[in-house]
């Protein structure tokens, strides 16, 4: 089962093979540089671009034509062009106009770079020394409609043995959602008029124990209360938006049927305000998940945030693990077991002989006066300064609370927080769980100097 772009007197350079169990592709466009087929409701394009920039302009035009079909689309192959100077090592400096034309084509077609791992460069001229050239000529890009259907799709470069190009190996990782993901503080809660009262009511409860225990216990229980309150007040944001749209449509019909009815008009305005509020909540939620900080508040970029979040999640996934024996593990439970063993060995206790002598080598830079200042118990104002200097949207710890929570609720939680910090300072001991953090593993990229290989 094959489709190719051969023509009379010219052998084809793009060949498409598919499993007979898959729906037969329908040819959409065939040219000397691109072959596009339709498989169900999605478009798949294979590319073998010309080496000359002038000829590649015909390819960019063909890509724009396919983009106008407005369907889920993925395009992969040899584009014979780079986007940045970092994608080439050795040889002549990449042509700036060529890079700009390629970049403009991707932008006009609204194509995104698919998450990639494995080798950093896909092409080599197979030379040595100063004549060696490495380029990232092969790639996979897709549009947002494809990303919505296959959010966990990614690819990697295989080993180029027969050809000077590395093969592209792609597919969906299908990684199940973690079962132990902690609930996180939602920034949209701050916009609700009842939020501060919910926090104040629960923080005022009496808890028996030292100040550190009281603070940790109250924060843990507060998170449970807020999660319950979230579902009662906000619920599923997208579902609430759809319900608000239905209310607006119904209220509009009633108001238009009775144009002089004040009550009908009031209901319409109320429904419109609720819909706008729900949309704002969805935008705030997606902005927080996408962790994009350079866009100003108030900009409605929900679709952009959704795309950034999916791509970031896909790039950070670890769907394969190669152990020290070269075996590739794909099962998520086995990957977790292997990684747990690795990091237990790295951080486990190891006896050290004559460790005390190492302290004699360290120069004494801090005098007694400096030491007293460092050991002094911090006052409330000092603690407040540190809290308010925290990034309000930085990644939270296991408790799920961002810096913006401590800023916004400072007047409510300051007594418990300051008492807990002073208690730990006096005792010179931080209770277990109070200062916990996540150890987040990222896929290994080619060239990273890590003992164990992680590849998504």
């Amino acid at each position: 089962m094959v489709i190719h772009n051969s023509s009379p007197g010219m052998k084809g350079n793009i060949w498409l093979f598919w499993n007979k169990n898959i729906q037969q592709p329908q040819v959409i466009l065939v040219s000397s540089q691109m072959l596009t087929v339709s498989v169900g409701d999605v478009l798949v394009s294979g590319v073998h671009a010309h080496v000359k920039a002038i000829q590649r302009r015909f390819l960019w035009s063909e890509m724009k034509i396919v983009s106008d079909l407005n369907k889920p689309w993925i395009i992969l192959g040899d584009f014979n062009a780079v986007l940045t100077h970092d994608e080439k090592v050795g040889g002549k400096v990449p042509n700036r106009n060529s890079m700009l034309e390629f970049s403009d084509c991707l932008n006009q077609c609204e194509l995104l770079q698919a998450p990639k791992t494995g080798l950093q460069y896909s092409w080599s001229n197979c030379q040595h020394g100063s004549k060696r050239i490495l380029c990232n000529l092969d790639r996979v890009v897709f549009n947002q409609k494809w990303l919505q259907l296959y959010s966990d799709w990614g690819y990697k470069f295989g080993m180029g043995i027969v050809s000077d190009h590395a093969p592209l190996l792609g597919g969906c990782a299908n990684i199940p959602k973690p079962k132990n993901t902690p609930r996180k503080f939602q920034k949209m809660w701050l916009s609700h008029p009842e939020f501060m009262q919910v926090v104040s009511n629960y923080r005022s409860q009496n808890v028996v124990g030292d100040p550190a225990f009281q603070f940790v216990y109250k924060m843990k229980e507060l998170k449970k209360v807020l999660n319950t309150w979230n579902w009662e007040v906000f619920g599923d944001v997208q579902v609430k938006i759809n319900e608000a749209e239905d209310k607006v449509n119904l209220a509009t019909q009633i108001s238009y049927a009775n144009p002089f009815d004040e009550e009908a008009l009031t209901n319409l305005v109320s429904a419109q305000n609720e819909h706008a509020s729900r949309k704002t909540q969805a935008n705030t939620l997606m902005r927080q998940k996408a962790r994009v900080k350079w866009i100003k508040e108030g900009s409605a970029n929900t679709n952009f945030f959704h795309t950034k979040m999916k791509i970031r999640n896909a790039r950070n996934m670890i769907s394969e693990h190669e152990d020290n024996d070269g075996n590739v593990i794909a099962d998520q439970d086995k990957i977790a077991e292997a990684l747990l063993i690795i990091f237990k060995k790295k951080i486990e206790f190891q006896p050290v002989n004559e460790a005390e002598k190492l302290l004699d080598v360290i120069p004494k830079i801090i005098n007694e006066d400096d030491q007293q200042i460092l050991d002094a118990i911090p006052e409330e104002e000092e603690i407040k300064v540190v809290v308010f200097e925290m990034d309000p949207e930085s990644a939270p710890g296991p408790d799920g609370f961002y810096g913006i929570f401590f800023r916004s609720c400072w007047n409510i939680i300051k007594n418990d927080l300051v008492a807990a910090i002073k208690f730990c300072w006096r005792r010179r001991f931080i209770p277990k769980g109070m200062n916990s953090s996540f150890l987040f593993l990222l896929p290994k990229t080619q060239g990273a100097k890590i003992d164990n290989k992680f590849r998504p």
Side-chain angles (χ1 to χ4, degrees), residues 189-198 229:
W189 295 346
L190 297 173
S191 62
H192 198 279
E194 297 179 2
F195 172 74
M196 290 299 178
Q197 190 60 44
V198 172
W229 174 77

Side-chain angles (χ1 to χ4, degrees), residues 365-376:
I365 301 178
I366 299 177
N367 55 38
E368 293 297 329
D369 294 335
D370 294 333
Q371 189 64 50
Q372 290 181 3
I373 295 175
L374 293 174
D375 290 340

Side-chain angles (χ1 to χ4, degrees), residues 13-65:
N13 58 347
I14 305 175
W15 294 62
L16 171 65
F17 297 85
W18 71 92
N19 191 300
K20 63 181 181 180
N21 296 324
I22 299 176
Q23 181 180 352
Q24 182 171 348
Q26 303 296 320
V27 177
I28 301 297
L29 184 147
V30 178
S31 70
S32 61
Q33 299 185 74
M34 185 170 69
L35 171 61
T36 302
V37 297
S38 174
V39 184
D41 294 329
V42 303
L43 300 177
V44 179
S45 295
V47 169
H48 185 194
H50 202 279
V51 294
K52 294 184 178 180
I54 296 179
Q55 296 295 331
R56 286 198 296 271
R57 291 172 185 170
F58 292 99
L59 172 61
W60 309 150
S61 300
E62 293 171 355
M63 289 173 58
K64 294 170 186 175
I65 293 174

Side-chain angles (χ1 to χ4, degrees), residues 321-327 329 342 345 450-453:
H321 165 63
E322 183 177 333
D323 60 20
N324 294 329
D325 298 327
N327 301 317
I329 305 172
I342 290 172
K345 290 182 178 179
I450 303 177
D451 293 339
N452 300 281
K453 301 178 180 178

Side-chain angles (χ1 to χ4, degrees), residues 158-204:
M159 297 297 296
I161 300 176
V162 179
S163 172
D164 54 353
H165 288 265
L168 305 179
L169 309 174
C172 293
N174 292 325
I175 296 180
K177 185 177 180 180
K179 299 178 181 179
N180 58 345
T181 303
R183 284 283 186 177
K184 297 180 181 179
F185 174 82
Q186 302 298 337
K187 189 178 178 181
M188 64 180 181
W189 295 346
L190 297 173
S191 62
H192 198 279
E194 297 179 2
F195 172 74
M196 290 299 178
Q197 190 60 44
V198 172
V199 177
S200 179
N201 291 343
Y202 201 78
R203 294 295 300 183
S204 61

Side-chain angles (χ1 to χ4, degrees), residues 279-288 298-302 305:
K279 293 288 288 185
T280 302
Q281 293 169 6
N283 183 59
T284 303
L285 180 63
M286 293 308 302
R287 179 194 294 269
Q288 181 177 343
S299 301
N301 297 279
T302 305
F305 295 142

